Amino acid sequence: LSDKSRRYIFLTMASKYGRVLLRRGFSSGMEGPSATAGEHGGMKTWRNMTLFLAVPGIMITFVNARMKEAEEHEHHERPEFIPYEFLYRRPRPFPWGDGNHTLFHNKHYNALPDGYED
């Protein structure tokens, strides 16, 4: 399946799930504006809202962010190396490794003073 069809299927399922929750509702049978008006009804309502709205909402947001990041990563190209002296100056070596790599060095994104490694 392509990314678009997977996203369509996922969002269709999420919208159907949301409609079922809206039809059933979260009422605890109490009257009044406050969800905590009764003894235990408010706690049950908030637990249900957390389990059936917040957790799936966070999961949908996570999946959407991962899919968008994957799309962006496919089209990302490394910028051309330009040997600016002020960016790649090493007055003294780093205290780890060979002294030329930063602590969180990434071969694809971080250039050395003489250019990219690969």
Side-chain angles (χ1 to χ4, degrees):
L1 291 171
S2 69
D3 285 339
K4 285 185 177 183
S5 60
R6 272 190 252 143
R7 183 180 298 153
Y8 175 76
I9 291 169
F10 183 76
L11 292 176
T12 304
M13 290 173 53
S15 68
K16 286 181 182 180
Y17 182 68
R19 276 187 257 141
V20 168
L21 288 176
L22 287 175
R23 257 187 274 137
R24 289 184 184 174
F26 291 106
S27 67
S28 58
M30 295 193 304
E31 299 289 327
S34 175
T36 59
E39 256 180 65
H40 300 289
M43 185 178 78
K44 184 177 179 182
T45 300
W46 285 105
R47 184 193 68 214
N48 287 340
M49 286 176 60
T50 300
L51 292 176
F52 300 119
L53 289 178
V55 173
I58 291 169
M59 290 170 38
I60 289 170
T61 304
F62 173 77
V63 169
N64 186 32
R66 292 289 292 199
M67 289 169 59
K68 289 205 180 279
E69 193 275 332
E71 286 177 12
E72 181 69 28
H73 187 70
E74 290 175 2
H75 303 295
H76 178 75
E77 293 183 16
R78 182 167 61 186
E80 178 185 341
F81 176 74
I82 302 173
Y84 294 118
E85 290 182 27
F86 63 91
L87 286 179
Y88 304 107
R89 198 177 91 208
R90 303 274 198 270
R92 61 177 183 237
F94 291 115
W96 50 82
D98 65 353
N100 201 22
H101 293 81
T102 59
L103 184 60
F104 300 106
H105 184 76
N106 185 324
K107 292 179 183 181
H108 184 73
Y109 294 108
N110 304 115
L112 296 173
D114 54 345
Y116 292 107
E117 293 182 58
D118 44 350

